[in-house]
Amino acid sequence: MRALAVLTLASLTLAGAGPVTGQTPTMEQALRRAQDYSPLPLTLAREQADWLESHANLPEGFDPADDIQSRIEALTAQADRDAGLARTIFRDGAPPLGRECVATGLKGCTSPMGGYLALDEGGLHWQLQQGFTDEDGVSGGIVFIGDAGAARMGPTAPIAWSFDGARFEAPVLLTGPEFDGKAYIAVPGVRAGSGSGNADVLFRWDLPDTRRLTQIDTWSWRDSLDVMLPEGLGIWQGVRFDWPNMTAFTPLWQAGDGHCCGTGGTAILSFDIEGEKLVLAHVTVRDAVLETAARTPAEVFDYVGRRGGCDRRGGEEPVDAAAGTIMAGAIPDPGCATLRADGAALRRRYADDPRTLAVIARAEAPRD
């Protein structure tokens, strides 16, 4: 379905038209206008593909025409915002980056932080922003301000921005031999919601053209996760990027976990940049189950298994004595009669090992 959506997106793009005034635009026209002004064309393409897939699978009772109109309105609002920012010019050079937002797509906007990135002959000002939108509520923003023309001196203008996160952090300049002589700018970001989804933005700074920031795809790497993670483990939320080291850290989830809390261990992800994509190069996994098994003394591991067997055995309530005799005989005796004494002996033996004591305590904890 995703492939069909992307093909449809391509046809919409080719069939598009320029800005439309005085009439309701078609989907093709609204998309083309949004593309003309967006500094995040890859994000826009992804969102449109997601919408096409969702539109093709609307639940019963939803009106397809209303869904199309809603998407047209969203694209038009985004294009209006981006067009307004693209037309902004600061005639006296970079504006002062105080608490006031210098150019924004947010309401009630204030700025907690601003700064300057410099490399060779290039320079960019940036400003973090906080505010809200009618659609998403509390939102964060990042705006980059650079040279508005061919000259190194003179007017400046917003050249890239994002308002897709609940909050952003200060941008990080990535350069050096490990980046093959190229320069990148990463902006850590988090989306709203309990999943803490990634709103990180990554640009290639196309020096010596200081006005051009090219977006890098920071999400398609998840498509290769299944073949790089152990069977039964997954990543259900956003990851925490360490951009200077091109790595990310994340808990791992397994069947039975709540969405809030992964119990399957942790993973460190290593990345490369290839063309205009962030690529998952390597995954280092710390599997919680295997690690516990490897570090737990064999006699303690045996005791934990016996506890489970005795709990199941004691929990059975046969319908009659004869059935109970048959059931008890079918289950090998795990040594329940000595279980209490064995547990006490293990606690004495490992009294100086808090981790092993914790394993024993968890095995002995009452179960509902």
Side-chain angles (χ1 to χ4, degrees), residues 284-304:
T284 303
V285 172
R286 295 184 61 182
D287 188 309
V289 174
L290 295 181
E291 221 173 64
T292 298
R295 295 170 57 189
T296 301
E299 58 186 344
V300 174
F301 211 79
D302 175 68
Y303 171 72
V304 171

Side-chain angles (χ1 to χ4, degrees), residues 241-316:
F241 280 103
D242 176 2
W243 285 111
N245 293 304
M246 292 297 289
T247 61
F249 174 84
T250 179
L252 295 172
W253 280 257
Q254 57 188 338
D257 284 347
H259 191 72
C260 69
C261 313
T263 65
T266 59
I268 296 176
L269 316 177
S270 300
F271 297 94
D272 294 324
I273 299 175
E274 296 181 1
E276 296 181 1
K277 280 190 176 184
L278 189 68
V279 178
L280 184 59
H282 184 70
V283 178
T284 303
V285 172
R286 295 184 61 182
D287 188 309
V289 174
L290 295 181
E291 221 173 64
T292 298
R295 295 170 57 189
T296 301
E299 58 186 344
V300 174
F301 211 79
D302 175 68
Y303 171 72
V304 171
R306 289 168 55 206
R307 290 270 336 178
C310 291
D311 288 345
R312 289 191 295 273
R313 188 184 182 91
E316 298 289 352

Side-chain angles (χ1 to χ4, degrees), residues 4-16 28 31-32 35 52:
L4 175 61
V6 172
L7 289 173
T8 307
L9 172 64
S11 67
L12 288 176
T13 301
L14 293 174
E28 294 87 347
L31 179 60
R32 171 57 64 88
Q35 291 169 329
L52 286 167

